[in-house]
Amino acid sequence: MVSKVRTFKSEKGLSQDAGTYRRGELRGIIRINEEVCVGCDTCRGVCPADAIEGSVGEKHKINLDKCVVCGQCLINCPFDAVEQMSFVEDVLPKLKDKQTKVVAIVAPAVRVAIAEEFGAKPGTLALGRLWVALKKAGFEIYDNNFAADQTILEEGTELLARIAAHAGLKELPVYLWDKKLVLEVEEYKHKPLPQFTSCCPAWVRYVELYYPDLIPYLSTCKSPQQMAGATAKTYGAKDVWKVAVEKVYTVGVMPCTAKIFEAFRPEFNSAGKYHKNESIRDVDAVLTTRDLAEIFRRLNIDFMSLPEERDPKNFMWYSGGATIFGVSGGVMEAAIRFAFHVLSGKEPSPTASEWEFHDVRGLTNPVVRATVTIPLRPEYQKVFNDKVIRLKVCVVNGIGHNGAHLKPVVEEVLRGKSPYQFIEVMTCPGGCINGGGQPKQAMSIGFIQKIFYKLGRA
Ligand code: SF4
Ligand code: SF4
Ligand code: SF4
């Protein structure tokens, strides 16, 4: 059984300079309802940012200047006292306006969880049903898996460029499909290793607040949500839907409350810059998995009675690597698959076990460390003076209470002693399948991870 999560409407006027917030950023996305809080202190034990104040038995409060908006307090509060800002009331009128193209950017973790909101067993995959429901509601679909592939092309290339630059190279040939591109990599020698992932907005906020010296280590890539928003409002508006960009309203559908914060970061208006209208945002609103279920309920869409149908087109194609973004270790594994393809010259195969990198998967370990050996195609053997390349990687599977899991890993980096080239950090334990925007119930998440890896072979 899922619990009902209390929400409150997004309010204009919240996005002002205040404390650690810049103008345009949303403040107060997660809050504790003091009338409901019993002071059990559970939330403090799961908070990665020491942002919860109050002693046992007292009403607790969130210190917004410390909060990274992960929502872990919300999904773990046994008394349903934690509330979330919701954009349901903003999105519903847009869906009713036939002049507006409302584009749902749907994250991988939503499809394995939304059916729980309608009484299905945890882990029920509802991909086709979800597409039918989104269409019935009036959404265009931009599968965020497509954007995850965009991210991996960017982030994987950036990683290879950093590695090549630190090996003393000025340029690196990259063989993608039947094309040879030559990357100028010299400028990357100023970008340090290890490269950290940047797709978890709570982690990015964590770096800004607690480890600003790590900012140059973060990948410069936007998250899939933001890549999708920018692509939808440029290429999508002009070439796919053929409508004026002002008529496109983009809605992230995410397992995550931090994605709400991310969408309102002032710098995420690439489409606005492209169109020379800075009021155009890349992503206009974000719905959590729970919020999308509420939209379906409000539109009287009987989710569980819908057929499992899917007719992929435009932004709905993706690789198996993109599918596993929703679990801890998934971004790492997708990046390794990309590096493996480029460096070895081998073609992806859904059946070959060499495309599955089990050593970087981890749900039970808070920190996963691995060395991945990739055979080099002849052209790279000359470049790297070896027959193989050994990638040393690390996955932080949840930042942990007050950063407990993360601290040893980042302190090694800050002391210049890190052995790794690439580090993935997901704020939520288990990754986005256990995000603060998912259906709220006490459950084990291990079996959902298995579903993802099954899908990731496709
Ligand atoms: S877990 Fe919930 S009830 Fe317990 S202190 Fe935190 S907000 Fe209050
Ligand atoms: S658990 Fe996450 S959302 Fe809750 S107070 Fe801590 S940082 Fe903020
Ligand atoms: S791990 Fe995923 S759900 Fe959790 S804060 Fe990061 S992006 Fe959001």
Side-chain angles (χ1 to χ4, degrees):
M1 233 352 235
V2 294
S3 317
K4 177 87 182 136
V5 170
R6 291 184 178 80
T7 57
F8 56 97
K9 192 174 163 359
S10 64
E11 290 168 38
K12 298 241 160 38
L14 283 171
S15 47
Q16 299 295 321
D17 287 313
T20 56
Y21 290 73
R22 295 172 296 160
R23 186 173 297 271
E25 288 177 341
L26 271 187
R27 194 174 158 86
I29 292 164
I30 302 288
R31 71 185 188 195
I32 293 175
N33 183 327
E34 291 193 25
E35 296 199 349
V36 186
C37 174
V38 300
C40 71
D41 214 33
T42 308
C43 50
R44 191 203 300 276
V46 296
C47 178
D50 193 23
I52 295 178
E53 297 169 350
S55 302
V56 177
E58 288 177 3
K59 305 291 181 194
H60 282 39
K61 267 198 174 121
I62 294 176
N63 180 336
L64 295 179
D65 286 330
K66 292 173 134 191
C67 174
V68 297
V69 205
C70 65
Q72 282 300 306
C73 52
L74 184 155
I75 50 163
N76 285 291
C77 171
F79 298 92
D80 298 336
V82 188
E83 305 178 337
Q84 171 226 315
M85 184 187 288
S86 163
F87 287 80
V88 166
E89 303 301 340
D90 301 71
V91 173
L92 278 171
K94 296 287 178 189
L95 286 168
K96 286 185 184 140
D97 173 8
K98 295 297 164 221
Q99 302 305 310
T100 302
K101 182 79 58 190
V102 186
V103 181
I105 300 166
V106 190
V110 174
R111 66 206 70 188
V112 294
I114 190 157
E116 290 167 40
E117 283 283 333
F118 300 98
K121 280 200 303 199
T124 303
L125 180 64
L127 180 56
R129 218 175 265 167
L130 176 57
W131 291 160
V132 176
L134 285 164
K135 284 279 176 200
K136 259 182 151 348
F139 288 101
E140 284 290 340
I141 299 168
Y142 190 130
D143 195 322
N144 212 32
N145 284 2
F146 180 94
D149 278 331
Q150 290 176 275
T151 306
I152 278 305
L153 281 172
E154 292 287 339
E155 195 162 345
T157 306
E158 182 180 9
L159 176 63
L160 291 178
R162 288 193 195 208
I163 291 172
H166 284 262
L169 303 182
K170 289 201 164 64
E171 53 183 41
L172 182 76
V174 174
Y175 305 90
L176 274 179
W177 299 285
D178 55 350
K179 292 202 169 50
K180 177 184 169 187
L181 312 166
V182 178
L183 282 184
E184 305 280 336
V185 298
E186 208 177 357
E187 62 175 289
Y188 287 86
K189 72 175 182 238
H190 304 297
K191 293 182 191 280
L193 285 172
Q195 177 175 302
F196 279 91
T197 52
S198 58
C199 48
C200 168
W203 157 237
V204 172
R205 180 85 175 135
Y206 201 91
V207 171
E208 290 170 331
L209 290 180
Y210 302 108
Y211 292 109
D213 290 348
L214 282 184
I215 290 173
Y217 292 81
L218 285 174
S219 164
T220 55
C221 297
K222 292 176 192 173
S223 73
Q225 170 176 271
Q226 297 309 132
M227 286 200 192
T231 311
K233 291 220 181 169
T234 49
Y235 171 68
K238 183 167 171 287
D239 294 312
V240 178
W241 304 304
K242 301 185 194 318
V243 292
V245 63
E246 292 78 10
K247 298 287 175 202
V248 177
Y249 185 80
T250 41
V251 183
V253 181
M254 299 287 144
C256 177
T257 45
K259 289 281 172 193
I260 303 171
F261 179 78
E262 179 184 67
F264 287 89
R265 292 184 65 120
E267 63 271 31
F268 286 142
N269 65 344
S270 313
K273 287 181 190 130
Y274 175 85
H275 292 291
K276 300 194 176 23
N277 176 354
E278 301 229 344
S279 68
I280 294 171
R281 304 289 310 160
D282 293 338
V283 175
D284 294 299
V286 176
L287 300 172
T288 61
T289 308
R290 298 183 297 263
D291 293 332
L292 181 64
E294 178 63 15
I295 295 249
F296 292 155
R297 282 190 282 266
R298 297 271 287 273
L299 295 176
N300 296 319
I301 294 173
D302 183 359
F303 189 82
M304 293 313 284
S305 72
L306 296 176
E308 268 294 318
E309 279 174 14
R310 187 168 169 269
D311 175 21
K313 53 187 172 201
N314 299 326
F315 300 113
M316 292 170 72
W317 297 103
Y318 54 85
S319 73
T323 308
I324 56 178
F325 257 57
V327 282
S328 181
V331 179
M332 171 64 70
E333 185 165 344
I336 292 173
R337 288 184 188 184
F338 172 79
F340 188 84
H341 169 58
V342 171
L343 294 171
S344 72
K346 296 189 184 190
E347 288 302 318
S349 156
T351 51
S353 58
E354 66 184 350
W355 290 92
E356 294 190 349
F357 297 90
H358 290 260
D359 288 352
V360 302
R361 298 181 182 181
L363 206 59
T364 47
N365 292 338
V367 179
V368 178
R369 301 164 201 270
T371 302
V372 179
T373 303
I374 300 177
L376 292 175
R377 58 191 291 160
E379 297 86 339
Y380 286 130
Q381 291 182 19
K382 286 183 218 136
V383 172
F384 290 103
N385 208 16
D386 205 339
K387 290 199 165 153
V388 295
I389 196 165
R390 288 177 190 83
L391 277 184
K392 284 188 182 292
V393 298
C394 176
V395 174
V396 179
N397 173 20
I399 287 178
H401 174 50
N402 292 351
H405 304 152
L406 177 78
K407 258 182 207 152
V409 176
V410 296
E411 281 172 7
E412 224 172 21
V413 175
L414 292 170
R415 287 199 313 272
K417 299 284 181 204
S418 177
Y420 306 114
Q421 284 124 342
F422 194 31
I423 301 178
E424 175 193 305
V425 181
M426 288 291 168
T427 303
C428 301
C432 304
I433 51 172
N434 190 30
Q438 293 285 64
K440 182 173 185 286
Q441 60 180 313
M443 64 175 190
S444 154
I445 52 174
F447 59 94
I448 302 184
Q449 188 196 36
K450 285 189 193 130
I451 293 172
F452 265 105
Y453 283 121
K454 225 179 195 175
L455 287 169
R457 290 199 195 106

